[in-house]
Amino acid sequence: ALLDKHFINGALVPPVKGRYLDVVDPSEESVWGRSAAGTVEDVNAAVASAKNADYTWSKTSGTERAVVLRAIADAVEKNKPELADKEAVNSGKPLQEAAWDIDDVVGCFRHHADLAEALDKKQGKIVDVGMEEFETRLFWESKGVVGIIVPWNYPLLMATWKVAGALAAGCSIVLKPSELTPYTAVDLAVIAHQQAGLPAGVLNVVTGFGPDVGAPLTAHPDVEKIAFTGSTATGSRIMGA
């Protein structure tokens, strides 16, 4: 099924203003489906959800997060045929290449599960400051809410490169996929929460156009970090937000 809703606080929700946009199959240049056209109201709801989830998710250990990351990898692998089909049609790439992308998504989550576990071993590491009267230890903490904006050409894989790292570090997320290729990002959030045990609010997805979703996301005072891949012009605007 093509999901035409946002994913906020562990549930599929319609856009606040009831707006939708057409999603095109580029191989035929025909309308394939529709997706939610988000606005600042949807972004605010998603950020609030992520901030609330951060209070508990950020306090989990790397080992606990690794369990969830591996469960996401297993669930994505289980859903590979449907995800690859959607990716191929929506982004206009050969099915075989889309299937390879899903394999890479699975591998990326498993890799970051290993990194999350390794993070536990670094906690409390003694740092030599050259003075015997002081004992200095280094602890790694979550940054907070991360806004993620990704392009159309590797929709799920590009999102995963950012999502997996943020989850491993204990961050909560608001993800904005390209308005051209929104579906597998929403699928990822559904799979992560419903099949892999990711707590509600940790991964939120808001679909829509850059000025309506990306701009308020990058300017939101509760978003502590932005991970972005896209044009130089948009990147410059994000840096100035």
Side-chain angles (χ1 to χ4, degrees):
L2 302 178
L3 302 178
D4 61 357
K5 294 179 173 62
H6 306 307
F7 193 85
I8 298 174
N9 199 31
L12 291 164
V13 296
V16 171
K17 293 193 173 179
R19 298 174 183 171
Y20 294 87
L21 55 92
D22 290 337
V23 178
V24 172
D25 171 358
S27 68
E28 298 182 355
E29 297 185 346
S30 59
V31 174
W32 184 38
R34 70 173 191 172
S35 69
T39 57
V40 64
E41 292 84 0
D42 301 300
V43 172
N44 289 342
V47 173
S49 172
K51 185 176 181 179
N52 184 62
D54 182 66
Y55 291 121
T56 52
W57 180 248
S58 64
K59 294 177 175 60
T60 57
S61 67
T63 300
E64 290 170 323
R65 297 193 291 271
V67 170
V68 177
L69 287 164
R70 291 194 180 101
I72 295 173
D74 292 345
V76 169
E77 192 169 47
K78 180 181 177 182
N79 289 274
K80 175 182 172 180
E82 180 183 356
L83 292 170
D85 283 345
K86 287 184 182 179
E87 204 81 328
V89 174
N90 201 184
S91 60
K93 63 174 62 182
L95 179 59
Q96 184 179 32
E97 182 179 341
W100 292 339
D101 288 349
I102 305 305
D103 289 337
D104 288 342
V105 168
V106 172
C108 187
F109 275 109
R110 289 176 177 157
H111 172 69
H112 281 85
D114 293 341
L115 294 180
E117 286 181 333
L119 190 60
D120 281 351
K121 299 175 183 179
K122 297 180 180 180
Q123 298 289 16
K125 179 181 179 181
I126 295 177
V127 179
D128 184 4
V129 293
M131 301 176 70
E132 293 183 358
E133 60 268 37
F134 293 103
E135 180 179 281
T136 304
R137 293 181 179 271
L138 182 62
F139 292 90
W140 302 79
E141 297 181 349
S142 160
K143 180 67 175 176
V145 178
V146 176
I148 296 177
I149 301 173
V150 295
W152 61 269
N153 49 340
Y154 294 88
L156 185 56
L157 181 56
M158 193 78 74
T160 296
W161 288 343
K162 299 171 177 18
V163 167
L167 292 179
C171 299
S172 55
I173 299 163
V174 178
L175 167 62
K176 182 214 169 295
S178 167
E179 68 275 8
L180 302 176
T181 52
Y183 292 127
T184 51
V186 180
D187 287 340
L188 175 63
V190 172
I191 288 169
H193 287 82
Q194 295 184 359
Q195 300 182 31
L198 187 68
V202 176
L203 174 57
N204 306 272
V205 179
V206 180
T207 61
F209 293 109
D212 300 325
V213 176
L217 179 60
T218 59
H220 200 291
D222 289 333
V223 174
E224 302 292 344
K225 186 177 181 66
I226 293 292
F228 166 78
T229 299
S231 70
T232 301
T234 302
S236 297
R237 288 195 291 270
I238 290 172
M239 288 297 293

